[in-house]
């Protein structure tokens, strides 16, 4: 291996070592020692430590280092050439001795090192005497950057009364200088403002509590932290940050009443739920730590109640029961307040509650009369005479003056008609008879009014029950339709009956059934009481004849168990049917109907036959009239027939909508009367103006409808019922008039068809035909 090869290998090793992070973190002394070691290599580049200090401000070039080959004889035959990063612009080399200079400022924070290449040439031969090799110029850092707090401003919160050493927050500053060289980027933290409550760790910037603090004394602190580089040495840069530290509340304070005794007043006429007054306990805490509940202790809790206003934390005392000035004029209420949420860590500070006394005075008021009962229940029998006593209500004035009271009924005009009250003594009597079956209860409202102060009125409800009296006799539960067959045998059940009673029996109703005395004589039926409010109707004899007797009327006596008992006679109608054993209800009803009409079956058949013949006769008359109408219509059609001239020429199309005058077809009178053909030429303009006015509202259209209506009304062949007739109305707007010969007594010879040539190309062929016809005639 020759010297050039060994030199290249060593330069490569140097380059890799210098570029590695480990090598870059070595101190400048280690780098100098390395270059001193490689300086003695034979036939290689002779290196000196290559450094340049950043931000050097000299106007002259700054010496960086020297490159020298061991083949350099100091005779000027070698030329040194520098290439690479910053060569020529930042760094230059003396081509005779290999000294490198920096001609511009460099900044380590922008670029920490530069990679360059060096080469030595023989000036005579221009051949390299050493292979090209790379080397590095490192930028040596100076302390040119101040520390910075990038995350400020800082805000932290810590619970009050936290123990010493509690971590509050951490602040961190950064420095743009090289942390691997010198102390330019080594920071130290200190506390400028915040003693003696807080401290800061110099190396980490962690802020800690230095003493216990009470939020109620002060709830916010401003702490100023300083960061210095160069480990705080002289000439170091520094920066400060402000940390706002808030103390969060803890429930470390109990509620306290401001007063030991409170005085309140309440009027005796205050209603239940009225606010008597408000009291409030103070709590230095905030939020839910200051939430509290109030309680009333002792017997006063029956008369008064207290609730907490969650917005203001006030205790609101409410009236739970009406108070009476005449009975008790003062009330002493013991009120306790307790924190709603208690922190066990502060229980040692004492109970989180307090008590106070509230003196409540009852104020006298003019009270309305007071009834001795809130609700009265009275009874009276139905049907009693007018003026009967129902009951008595009583009210008094609770005030000391004991004002007289006046009574009245205010619950509706209907009840006023049934009852009246003595306004002086409160006696209620009836004014009309009462019927329990109409209304079993009556609810009235009685008022009591002070005579000295009519505004003071009180009310009481009176419930009057009408007691039942047995004044309604029993009757059939429903209408019974009873049938019996002609061949019914003796003792055969034909009907089961039951009864009802409108009265309200104190015990269960019990009815007794029997035949009335007039029904037992020669009766063909018997009745059996089942002792369960029902009875059965049985036949007493066998065989019945409809010809002898169609209906049987049984008087049935029903007796109730009221006091006094009442009876009623109900008639049961039994119809005899033409049947064997089972009754056909429909057939029996039909027979009963015929019997009531006095008709036999044969007579009914004869009546139905007559009705059928009458219907057939009417249908025949209608058919004859229809046939006659068709024949008359055929005759009418013949009246309209005339010879029709057929033209194969094409007409004017849809635009030619008024080429024919059909006014001659409008009425029968016009059809039968011959009219001369109108002079079309002289009336073209008037007809054109009329054509623009034809419509449902035009006089011509209305006249047409009137004529057709009159014709239909006077037609003797019209059917004797409403009918629908349809007509086609063309109008009278044609400029050329009508081409029809209907209604004209003029012959073709008398006509002048010269106007056809004025009608346009559509009638050109027709005009030529009539022109040739006229020429032949002449």
């Amino acid at each position: 291996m020759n010297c050039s090869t060994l030199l290249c290998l060593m330069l490569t090793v140097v380059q890799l070592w210098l570029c590695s992070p480990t090598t870059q973190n070595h101190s400048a002394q280690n780098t100098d020692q390395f270059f001193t070691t490689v300086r003695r290599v034979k036939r290689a580049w002779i290196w000196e430590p290559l450094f340049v200090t950043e931000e050097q401000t000299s106007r002259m070039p700054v010496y960086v280092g020297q490159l020298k080959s061991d083949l350099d004889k100091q005779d000027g035959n070698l030329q040194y050439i520098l290439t690479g990063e910053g060569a020529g612009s930042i760094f230059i080399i003396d081509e005779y001795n290999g000294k490198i200079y920096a001609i511009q400022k460099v900044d380590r924070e922008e670029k920490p090192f530069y990679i360059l290449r060096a080469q030595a040439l023989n000036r005579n031969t221009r051949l390299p005497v050493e292979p090209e090799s790379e080397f590095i110029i490192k930028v040596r850092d100076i302390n040119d950057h101040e520390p910075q707090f990038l995350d400020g401003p800082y805000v932290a919160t810590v619970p009050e009364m936290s123990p010493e050493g509690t971590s509050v927050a951490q602040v961190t500053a950064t420095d743009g200088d090289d942390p691997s060289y010198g102390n330019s980027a080594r920071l130290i933290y200190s506390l400028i403002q915040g003693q003696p409550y807080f401290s800061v760790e110099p190396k980490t910037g962690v802020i800690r509590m230095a003493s216990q603090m009470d939020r109620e004394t002060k709830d916010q602190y401003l702490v100023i932290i300083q960061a210095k580089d160069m480990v705080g040495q002289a000439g170091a840069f520094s920066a400060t940050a402000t940390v706002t530290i808030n103390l969060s509340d803890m429930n470390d304070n109990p509620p306290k009443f401001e007063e030991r005794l409170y005085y309140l007043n309440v009027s005796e006429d205050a209603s239940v739920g009225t606010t008597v007054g408000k009291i409030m306990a103070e709590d230095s805490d905030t939020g839910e730590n200051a939430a509290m509940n109030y309680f009333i202790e002792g017997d006063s809790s029956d008369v008064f109640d207290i609730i907490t206003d969650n917005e203001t934390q006030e205790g609101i005392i409410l009236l739970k029961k009406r108070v009476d000035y005449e009975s008790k004029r003062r009330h002493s209420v013991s009120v306790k307040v307790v924190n709603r949420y208690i922190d066990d860590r502060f229980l040692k500070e004492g109970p989180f509650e307090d008590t106070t006394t509230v003196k409540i005075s009852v104020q006298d008021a003019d009270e309305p009369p007071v009834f001795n009962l809130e609700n009265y229940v009275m009874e009276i029998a139905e049907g009693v005479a007018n003026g009967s006593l129902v009951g008595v209500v009583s009210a008094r004035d609770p005030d000391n003056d004991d004002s007289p009271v006046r009574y009245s009924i205010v619950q509706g005009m209907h009840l006023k008609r049934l009852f009246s009250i003595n306004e002086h003594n409160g006696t209620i009597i009836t004014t009309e008879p009462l019927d329990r079956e109409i209304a079993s209860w009556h609810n009235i409202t009685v008022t009591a009014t002070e005579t000295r102060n009519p505004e003071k009125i009180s009310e009481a409800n009176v419930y009057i029950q009408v007691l039942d009296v047995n004044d309604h006799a029993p009757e059939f539960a429903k209408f019974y339709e009873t049938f019996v067959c002609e061949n019914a045998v003796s003792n055969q059940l034909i009907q089961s009956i039951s009864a009802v009673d409108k009265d309200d029996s104190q015990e269960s109703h019990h009815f007794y059934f029997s035949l009335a005395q007039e029904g037992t004589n020669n009766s063909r039926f018997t009745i059996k009481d089942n002792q369960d409010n029902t009875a059965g109707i049985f036949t007493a004899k066998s065989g019945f004849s409809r010809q002898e007797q169609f209906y049987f009327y049984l008087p049935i006596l029903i007796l109730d168990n009221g006091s006094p008992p009442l009876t009623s006679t109900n008639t049961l109608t039994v119809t005899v049917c033409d049947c064997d054993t089972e009754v056909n209800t429909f057939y029996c009803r039909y027979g009963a109907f015929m019997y009531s009409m006095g008709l036999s079956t044969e007579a009914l058949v004869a009546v139905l036959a007559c009705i059928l013949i009458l219907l057939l006769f009417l249908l025949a008359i209608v058919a004859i009239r229809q046939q006659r109408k068709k024949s008359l219509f055929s005759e009418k059609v013949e009246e309209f027939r005339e010879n029709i001239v057929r033209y194969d020429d094409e007409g004017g199309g849809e635009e030619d909508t008024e080429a024919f005058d059909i006014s001659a077809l409008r009425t029968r009178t016009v059809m039968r009367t011959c009219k001369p053909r109108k002079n079309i030429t002289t009336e073209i303009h008037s007809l054109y103006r009329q054509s623009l006015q034809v419509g449902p509202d035009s006089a011509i259209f209305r006249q047409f409808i009137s004529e057709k209506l009159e014709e239909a009304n006077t037609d003797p062949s019209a059917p004797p019922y409403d009918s629908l007739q349809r007509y086609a109305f063309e109008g009278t707007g044609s400029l050329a008039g009508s081409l029809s010969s209907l209604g004209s007594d003029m012959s073709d010879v008398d006509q002048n068809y010269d106007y056809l040539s004025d009608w346009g190309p559509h009638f050109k062929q027709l005009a030529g035909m009539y022109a040739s016809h006229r020429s032949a005639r002449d």
Side-chain angles (χ1 to χ4, degrees):
M1 180 181 297
N2 56 26
C3 294
S4 299
T5 305
L6 180 61
L7 178 59
C8 292
L9 179 60
M10 293 185 68
L11 287 175
T12 303
V13 173
V14 171
Q15 176 185 359
L16 292 175
W17 185 84
L18 289 175
C19 292
S20 66
T22 304
T23 306
Q24 294 179 14
N25 290 332
H26 285 182
S27 62
Q29 293 82 357
N30 294 335
T31 307
D32 294 340
Q33 292 176 3
F34 171 79
F35 285 115
T36 303
T37 302
V38 300
R39 182 183 181 89
R40 308 307 302 169
V41 177
K42 186 179 181 180
R43 287 207 62 193
W45 290 101
I46 298 176
W47 297 90
E48 292 183 358
L50 300 181
F51 292 98
V52 61
T53 303
E54 66 174 339
E55 301 294 340
Q56 288 184 342
T57 59
S58 176
R59 295 184 180 181
M60 300 298 293
V62 178
Y63 175 75
V64 177
Q66 183 179 12
L67 299 178
K68 187 175 182 181
S69 174
D70 58 355
L71 299 179
D72 190 357
K73 302 300 183 179
Q74 302 294 325
D75 54 3
N77 290 329
L78 294 183
Q79 180 183 6
Y80 295 94
I81 298 174
L82 184 66
T83 59
E85 295 178 344
S89 58
I90 299 176
F91 303 101
I92 60 175
I93 191 171
D94 189 334
E95 63 179 10
Y96 292 100
N97 55 24
K99 292 182 180 181
I100 301 174
Y101 299 91
I103 60 175
Q104 287 190 9
K105 292 182 180 181
V106 291
D107 190 351
R108 189 202 64 83
E109 285 70 34
E110 293 182 1
K111 193 172 181 62
F113 59 89
Y114 294 85
I115 301 175
L116 297 99
R117 291 181 297 276
Q119 190 176 20
L121 300 178
N122 188 301
R123 291 181 180 274
N124 299 323
T125 63
R126 306 306 299 173
L127 294 176
V129 296
E130 296 283 358
E132 186 180 50
S133 177
E134 286 187 354
F135 64 95
I136 295 176
I137 299 177
K138 295 184 63 177
V139 180
R140 180 173 292 171
D141 185 41
I142 63 173
N143 189 18
D144 60 345
H145 287 83
E146 297 179 355
Q148 290 183 343
F149 290 94
L150 301 180
D151 299 329
Y154 296 90
V155 178
T157 302
V158 62
E160 65 172 331
M161 305 304 293
S162 295
E164 296 181 14
T166 302
S167 176
V168 178
Q170 183 178 13
V171 295
T172 303
T174 59
D175 195 312
D177 294 324
D178 186 3
S180 63
Y181 176 77
N183 296 321
S184 298
R186 294 180 64 185
L187 304 178
I188 188 170
Y189 299 92
S190 61
L191 194 65
I192 294 181
Q193 177 179 314
Q195 300 91 348
Y197 308 108
F198 302 95
S199 63
V200 62
E201 294 183 357
K203 294 183 179 180
T204 62
V206 175
I207 303 173
R208 298 185 181 277
M209 300 282 290
S211 62
Q212 287 188 334
M213 288 171 286
D214 189 4
R215 187 201 64 84
E216 286 71 34
T217 302
K218 186 177 182 180
D219 61 352
Q220 189 179 78
Y221 294 85
L222 297 179
V223 177
I224 299 177
I225 304 296
Q226 183 186 62
K228 273 189 175 184
D229 58 12
M230 299 292 291
V231 200
Q233 298 176 3
F237 292 108
S238 65
T240 59
T242 301
V243 182
T244 303
I245 301 178
N246 299 310
L247 297 182
S248 62
D249 185 51
M250 301 292 290
N251 192 7
D252 57 342
N253 293 280
K256 295 291 182 182
F257 283 109
E258 295 180 350
E259 304 289 342
R260 294 291 93 188
L261 187 63
Y262 293 87
Y263 295 94
L264 299 175
N265 298 317
V266 62
S267 176
E268 65 173 338
D269 62 352
S271 59
V272 174
T274 300
T275 299
V276 178
K278 298 180 180 180
I279 60 176
M280 184 175 180
E282 294 293 335
D283 193 325
S284 301
D285 297 319
T286 60
E288 66 176 15
N289 294 324
M292 58 190 79
N293 293 326
Y294 296 87
F295 303 94
I296 291 180
E297 298 180 323
D299 299 335
S300 299
S301 60
D302 296 333
V303 182
F304 300 97
D305 193 10
I306 189 169
I307 61 175
T308 303
D309 187 337
N310 293 324
E311 296 291 334
T312 63
Q313 297 302 317
E314 292 178 308
I316 304 173
I317 299 177
L318 304 175
L319 190 62
K320 190 176 181 181
K321 184 180 179 181
R322 293 287 295 269
V323 293
D324 187 11
Y325 174 81
E326 289 71 25
S327 301
K328 189 174 182 179
R329 300 185 179 183
R330 292 180 181 86
H331 296 266
S332 180
V333 180
S334 178
V335 179
K336 181 174 71 173
V337 61
V338 180
N339 267 138
R340 192 174 301 170
Y341 308 103
I342 299 177
D343 194 334
D344 297 337
R345 293 175 295 178
F346 300 99
L347 285 177
K348 60 182 180 180
E349 302 294 335
F352 284 77
E353 62 183 40
D354 195 16
T355 58
T356 190
T357 301
V358 181
K359 298 290 186 178
I360 301 177
S361 299
V362 180
Q363 296 177 338
D364 189 23
D366 188 4
E367 300 176 86
V370 178
F371 284 92
N372 55 0
L373 294 175
E374 293 183 1
N375 299 300
Y376 293 85
V377 179
M378 303 177 181
E379 296 179 347
I380 187 171
E382 65 174 330
V384 296
N386 295 349
S388 298
L389 176 65
V390 179
V392 179
V393 297
S394 177
R396 65 175 182 85
D397 184 8
D399 298 321
N400 293 330
D401 56 357
D402 194 15
S403 173
V405 176
R406 184 176 66 252
Y407 302 93
S408 63
I409 296 176
V410 297
Q411 190 64 26
M413 294 300 297
H414 170 68
L415 295 177
K416 285 186 177 181
R417 291 196 300 267
L418 295 178
F419 305 96
S420 66
I421 188 171
N422 189 303
E423 66 176 9
H424 300 292
N425 56 24
T427 300
I428 301 174
I429 61 174
T430 61
T431 56
E432 289 187 5
L434 304 178
D435 189 353
R436 189 204 65 82
E437 285 69 35
I438 296 177
S440 60
W441 284 89
H442 296 280
N443 303 331
I444 64 175
T445 300
V446 176
T447 62
T449 307
E450 288 187 14
T451 56
R452 297 175 184 173
N453 187 2
E455 295 181 356
K456 298 300 179 180
I457 303 174
S458 59
E459 296 181 349
N461 297 319
V462 180
Y463 305 101
I464 302 174
Q465 182 182 14
V466 181
L467 301 178
D468 185 45
V469 175
N470 193 21
D471 57 348
H472 289 83
E475 58 187 10
F476 280 150
K478 63 178 182 178
F479 172 75
Y480 292 102
E481 225 177 2
T482 306
F483 304 96
V484 62
C485 292
E486 286 184 311
N487 58 353
V489 298
S490 177
N491 201 29
Q492 179 179 338
L493 177 64
I494 62 173
Q495 184 67 58
S496 294
I497 60 175
S498 62
V500 293
D501 194 334
K502 294 181 180 179
D503 292 321
D504 184 15
S505 177
Q506 295 181 356
E507 300 177 357
S508 300
H509 281 294
H510 191 75
F511 304 110
Y512 304 93
F513 300 87
S514 63
L515 285 176
Q517 185 65 34
E518 62 270 19
T520 57
N521 300 329
N522 298 324
S523 175
R524 304 193 63 176
F525 302 93
T526 61
I527 187 170
K528 180 182 178 181
D529 194 337
N530 298 326
Q531 300 300 317
D532 60 354
N533 292 340
T534 64
I537 308 299
F538 295 86
T539 58
K541 298 178 181 180
S542 302
F544 294 86
S545 176
R546 301 172 66 200
Q547 285 74 20
E548 294 179 2
Q549 189 172 354
F550 199 88
Y551 294 108
F552 291 90
Y553 301 98
L554 300 182
I556 298 177
L557 188 67
I558 307 176
L559 175 68
D560 63 14
N561 63 338
S563 178
L566 295 180
T567 61
S568 66
T569 301
N570 299 265
T571 300
L572 181 67
T573 302
V574 181
T575 304
V576 180
C577 296
D578 183 13
C579 56
D580 294 333
T581 57
E582 296 183 359
V583 178
N584 189 322
T585 303
F586 174 78
Y587 181 74
C588 288
R589 289 175 180 169
Y590 166 73
F593 172 76
M594 296 299 298
Y595 179 80
S596 63
M597 296 294 295
L599 298 176
S600 62
T601 304
E602 293 78 4
L604 180 61
V605 172
V607 172
L608 293 177
C610 292
I611 293 175
L612 181 60
I613 293 173
L614 182 61
L615 290 176
L616 293 175
F617 179 72
L618 292 176
L619 291 175
I621 292 176
V622 172
I624 293 172
R625 290 178 62 89
Q626 291 291 338
Q627 187 64 28
R628 182 178 301 173
K629 180 180 177 181
K630 291 181 180 180
S631 60
L632 290 176
F633 181 75
S634 299
E635 294 177 1
K636 290 173 66 178
V637 172
E638 291 296 335
E639 293 180 2
F640 292 106
R641 289 182 179 175
E642 254 189 51
N643 293 330
I644 299 175
V645 179
R646 177 177 179 180
Y647 301 96
D648 293 331
D649 298 325
E650 183 179 358
E654 294 182 357
E655 297 179 356
D656 188 14
T657 58
E658 301 178 4
F660 301 96
D661 183 8
I662 62 168
S663 60
L665 301 177
R666 291 179 182 171
T667 62
R668 296 173 59 195
T669 305
V670 176
M671 288 189 297
R672 294 171 183 174
T673 304
C674 295
K675 289 186 178 180
R677 188 174 182 87
K678 297 181 180 180
N679 190 349
I680 302 300
T681 305
T682 58
E683 296 183 2
I684 285 179
H685 296 288
S686 62
L687 290 176
Y688 176 72
R689 287 190 298 270
Q690 292 179 11
S691 66
L692 299 178
Q693 302 174 358
V694 174
D697 297 331
S698 65
I700 299 176
F701 190 84
R702 290 196 299 269
Q703 180 182 359
F704 173 76
I705 295 299
S706 300
E707 291 176 356
K708 292 302 177 182
L709 180 62
E710 180 65 23
E711 178 182 355
N713 291 335
T714 57
D715 188 2
S717 62
Y721 49 81
D722 293 341
S723 61
L724 177 65
Q725 300 190 30
R726 299 174 60 186
Y727 301 97
F729 179 69
E730 182 179 359
T732 58
S734 175
L735 296 177
S738 176
L739 295 179
S740 174
S741 61
L742 299 176
S744 175
D745 58 351
M746 299 176 65
S747 65
D748 293 341
V749 178
D750 301 328
Q751 297 294 328
N752 184 7
Y753 297 100
D754 294 338
Y755 59 87
L756 292 177
S757 58
D758 299 330
W759 287 5
H762 295 294
F763 295 88
K764 181 178 181 180
Q765 187 174 359
L766 184 63
M769 293 173 57
Y770 275 88
S772 59
H773 176 70
R774 183 175 180 181
S775 299
R777 184 189 60 185
D778 295 336

